[in-house]
Amino acid sequence: MTVTVRFAPSPTGHIHIGNSRPALFNWLFARKNGGAFILRFDDTDLERSKAEYAESIETDLRWLGIQPDRIERQSERVASYDAAAQKLKDAGLLYPCYETPDELERRRSRQRALGRPPVYDRAGLKQSDEERAAFEAEGRKPHWRFVLPNHDGDPFQTRRTDVSWTDLCRGEQAVDLASLSDPVLIRADGTYLYTLPSIVDDIDMGVTHVIRGEDHVANTGVQIAIFEALDAKAPVFGHHNLLTTRDGEGLSKRKGALSIGSLREAGLEPMAVASLAVLTGTSQAVEPVPAMEQLVEKFDLSNVSRSSAKFDPEELKSLNARLVHDLPFEAVRDRLASLGIDPTETFWNTVRGNCETVCAAAAYWQIVDGSIEGKIEDEDREFLSKARDLLPEGDITVESWPAWTNALKAETGRKGRALFMPLRRVLTGLDHGPDMKDMLPLIGRQNILDRLP
Ligand code: GLU
């Protein structure tokens, strides 16, 4: 069977680096196994789902290098969910419940106060048709729960029932269905929660492997039971640890600065983001991987560790810088042009080692081409006017800098920092930067003369 995976975001916000982890894991898994990747929008929550978020998620994934083989929307597949719900109802496995959220909350508090786990007592399952009719007459609408198979025929006598699976990341896993409430599959307004549509889709779309965050482990116990109730074979599951910041804080969708869109706007390379999102929290070193094919080679779900995947956003910068330092000219030519730079290989090779992002090259382009404010200290004025006199004749080449500074050294007796720094400052306006030997020919004779006093 062809390996088929899916990334199933709810389009209720922009995705951030934490969400990119399951997206990338699924993508790499598909690539590694010659499989298909489905982007599935879990958009059954019509109030919170927005087309613009779905669009932005697709854009973000493509920027990261993920090209879905198929795009699906749950909102277009409701008829299939209705059919599955009907099948469960016919089998007596989906039952109406009329409690209001307040009533349920009061019941849970009572259970907690008595030291009992707040598990739903299946009161809805006991109700007679007359009782249900009475609720309906009051104008109440039911929500629908699935009867978990945690009993031997009498649902009011539950017993420990472990649903187990071999997890691609966590090894042997078990969830005791007796510790869980019967899950609500359909809300009182008739809309579906994510649980059932996800299963129906996984069955209909031939999903072979479900790779998602470890916050879904308990859901998996429930979902395996529903797969079975629908006479389907459950896929293979893998639950990875979640990305968190250094202090262990989760990344909610509100963490704007870590949204994929804002990382893109900050000029980060997609492969820096992908390297961090994939390698953090694994037994592998977090290092910049230049291309997706190489990340495919490295990727192995069994390397995912059990503890959380903590990262420091600062790490992104350094991974990015390391990638940028090695980017060949061909890879950046068009991007340099779009920054208003007239790109040449010599320019890029000269400045890339000093660029944390590709966009940072624009500042060096200003030095080479545009007007910059050179910095001159009063005590260096005389030295710099000597420099003007001693600038080598003819074309400025890579030989010019050593020839020029040697002549200045002989003439003024200055050496080291006192010799080089005033020249760097007046010609570039900066205290640090690319090698002056290489910068000088790019800056050119006219700019040099214009900047010297
Ligand atoms: N929409 C769910 C989520 O974003 C999908 C979980 C899954 O992959 O099954 O958490």
Side-chain angles (χ1 to χ4, degrees):
M1 206 195 308
T2 322
V3 163
T4 303
V5 294
R6 81 302 191 280
F7 172 55
S10 307
T12 54
H14 299 289
I15 53 168
H16 55 65
I17 188 161
N19 312 119
S20 77
R21 187 167 168 86
L24 286 159
F25 277 3
N26 279 290
W27 173 248
L28 295 169
F29 191 84
R31 291 284 77 79
K32 199 155 191 135
N33 294 289
F37 175 100
I38 303 172
L39 167 59
R40 193 177 78 207
F41 290 113
D42 282 4
D43 58 354
T44 53
D45 182 343
L46 296 175
E47 242 165 62
R48 292 173 58 226
S49 299
K50 298 231 156 41
E52 69 199 72
Y53 290 133
E55 265 166 47
S56 107
I57 291 171
E58 209 183 316
T59 306
D60 290 347
L61 293 182
R62 291 191 195 278
W63 177 75
L64 279 169
I66 296 174
Q67 290 118 27
D69 297 296
R70 223 166 119 181
I71 299 184
E72 298 283 352
R73 290 183 168 74
Q74 290 193 327
S75 53
E76 293 165 2
R77 297 185 27 81
V78 175
S80 306
Y81 312 145
D82 290 345
Q86 194 55 51
K87 186 168 172 181
L88 294 176
K89 283 179 191 170
D90 293 346
L93 293 175
L94 195 57
Y95 62 98
C97 298
Y98 290 87
E99 296 91 348
T100 65
D102 277 354
E103 284 165 358
L104 288 173
E105 188 43 50
R106 276 202 297 279
R107 206 175 287 182
R108 280 194 290 263
S109 318
R110 260 201 315 277
Q111 285 169 307
R112 274 191 285 260
L114 294 170
R116 297 200 193 123
V119 173
Y120 179 61
D121 60 3
R122 294 183 161 151
L125 199 53
K126 278 200 196 112
Q127 277 150 5
S128 62
D129 286 347
E130 290 73 45
E131 285 168 307
R132 289 175 184 158
F135 282 128
E136 298 272 349
E138 265 178 38
R140 289 203 197 194
K141 293 266 174 272
H143 54 277
W144 295 78
R145 290 189 190 255
F146 172 72
V147 193
L148 288 171
N150 52 11
H151 57 89
D152 287 321
D154 175 3
F156 300 101
Q157 293 293 322
T158 57
R159 60 157 173 82
R160 183 179 179 111
T161 311
D162 280 344
V163 170
S164 50
W165 70 94
T166 306
D167 196 282
L168 293 172
C169 307
R170 299 160 63 93
E172 292 310 309
Q173 292 290 294
V175 169
D176 175 13
L177 295 184
S179 68
L180 303 173
S181 297
D182 284 343
V184 176
L185 301 189
I186 307 174
R187 298 185 186 91
D189 67 1
T191 60
Y192 289 92
L193 281 103
Y194 136 88
T195 315
L196 182 65
S198 171
I199 296 163
V200 173
D201 287 347
D202 288 344
I203 297 170
D204 289 358
M205 295 169 194
V207 169
T208 55
H209 296 77
V210 170
I211 301 164
R212 57 186 179 185
E214 63 189 10
D215 49 336
H216 284 289
V217 167
N219 284 346
T220 296
V222 167
Q223 289 188 324
I224 289 177
I226 302 177
F227 272 104
E228 284 169 6
L230 291 171
D231 304 314
K233 188 170 166 292
V236 175
F237 287 91
H239 295 87
H240 60 78
N241 52 5
L242 303 178
L243 274 190
T244 70
T245 56
R246 268 271 166 79
D247 48 17
E249 196 189 334
L251 306 172
S252 77
K253 285 184 181 161
R254 281 169 283 278
K255 284 255 146 126
L258 291 170
S259 74
I260 299 298
S262 61
L263 297 175
R264 178 173 60 233
E265 271 153 35
L268 292 176
E269 298 299 306
M271 283 311 298
V273 177
S275 302
L276 184 106
V278 169
L279 297 174
T280 304
T282 70
S283 55
Q284 286 160 298
V286 180
E287 57 186 10
V289 181
M292 198 59 90
E293 305 81 72
Q294 286 158 271
L295 206 49
V296 171
E297 289 299 312
K298 274 181 163 289
F299 169 73
D300 184 345
L301 281 176
S302 64
N303 288 337
V304 171
S305 47
R306 294 293 296 270
S307 49
S308 67
K310 292 188 178 171
F311 82 103
D312 177 355
E314 287 298 309
E315 271 177 83
L316 263 180
K317 280 195 199 157
S318 75
L319 286 178
N320 200 72
R322 287 160 66 196
L323 279 181
V324 169
H325 296 169
D326 288 335
L327 281 177
F329 177 59
E330 282 315 317
V332 294
R333 178 204 290 265
D334 294 346
R335 287 160 70 191
L336 294 177
S338 72
L339 292 167
I341 296 171
D342 188 7
T344 66
E345 188 157 5
T346 316
F347 169 74
W348 176 244
N349 289 346
T350 300
V351 304
R352 65 178 176 175
N354 288 81
C355 293
E356 279 197 349
T357 61
V358 171
C359 312
Y364 296 118
W365 181 250
Q366 283 272 305
I367 294 168
V368 165
D369 190 55
S371 57
I372 54 124
E373 281 284 316
K375 287 195 275 183
I376 303 178
E377 306 291 336
D378 278 345
E379 70 263 26
D380 294 326
R381 264 184 197 281
E382 201 185 320
F383 167 76
L384 291 172
S385 65
K386 281 251 156 49
R388 176 179 253 287
D389 302 338
L390 293 176
L391 185 65
E393 295 292 323
D395 280 349
I396 304 291
T397 68
V398 285
E399 308 301 332
S400 306
W401 177 257
W404 191 23
T405 50
N406 279 335
L408 268 163
K409 184 176 176 181
E411 174 78 16
T412 64
R414 284 197 186 205
K415 54 185 189 230
R417 195 182 152 84
L419 174 65
F420 301 120
M421 191 55 90
L423 292 169
R424 177 181 286 283
R425 282 192 177 142
V426 74
L427 295 177
T428 70
L430 303 171
D431 290 353
H432 307 279
D435 203 332
M436 287 304 291
K437 169 168 90 46
D438 299 316
M439 282 298 276
L440 214 58
L442 293 169
I443 295 172
R445 174 175 294 280
Q446 196 53 53
N447 280 330
I448 297 172
L449 292 174
D450 289 349
R451 288 173 201 173
L452 287 168

